[in-house]
Amino acid sequence: MKEKGKEAILSDFGKRLAKYREARNMTQMDVAVVIESYPGYISRMENGKVEPGLFMILALAEALDITPNELIGSRSIK
């Protein structure tokens, strides 16, 4: 299987973040308030412009009531 580049991985993450946020009828501001961040940072993540750290991923998953795997996507390690 061909490895994805960093830009593609960040883009996929951002699309999943936006999908789960919108499915919960939350705005970027709503998420930012819950995780004690800024809506601009949520926007940059959704647009694949920043690489979130582990604790940010955990906070986002908790705020969206999903698992971190749902948010980051998963694949089997070979």
Side-chain angles (χ1 to χ4, degrees), residues 28 39-50:
Q28 291 175 345
Y41 188 66
I42 306 302
S43 175
R44 289 193 306 279
M45 282 191 286
E46 289 184 359
N47 288 300
K49 303 295 183 192
V50 295

Side-chain angles (χ1 to χ4, degrees), residues 13 17 31 35 42 45 56-64 71:
F13 173 86
L17 175 57
V31 174
I35 66 168
I42 306 302
M45 282 191 286
M56 179 58 67
I57 292 169
L58 294 172
L60 289 166
E62 185 174 327
L64 297 171
L71 188 56

Side-chain angles (χ1 to χ4, degrees), residues 6-77:
K6 183 177 179 177
E7 288 179 5
I9 291 169
L10 291 175
S11 176
D12 288 349
F13 173 86
K15 289 174 186 173
R16 281 189 295 277
L17 175 57
K19 178 184 84 168
Y20 285 115
R21 176 182 60 75
E22 290 168 357
R24 280 144 185 83
N25 294 315
M26 295 178 79
T27 65
Q28 291 175 345
M29 178 63 86
D30 294 333
V31 174
V33 168
V34 172
I35 66 168
E36 299 179 354
S37 186
Y38 300 93
Y41 188 66
I42 306 302
S43 175
R44 289 193 306 279
M45 282 191 286
E46 289 184 359
N47 288 300
K49 303 295 183 192
V50 295
E51 183 177 343
L54 174 61
F55 291 105
M56 179 58 67
I57 292 169
L58 294 172
L60 289 166
E62 185 174 327
L64 297 171
D65 195 29
I66 58 175
T67 67
N69 277 349
E70 289 174 291
L71 188 56
I72 63 173
S74 62
R75 61 181 178 88
S76 60
I77 299 172

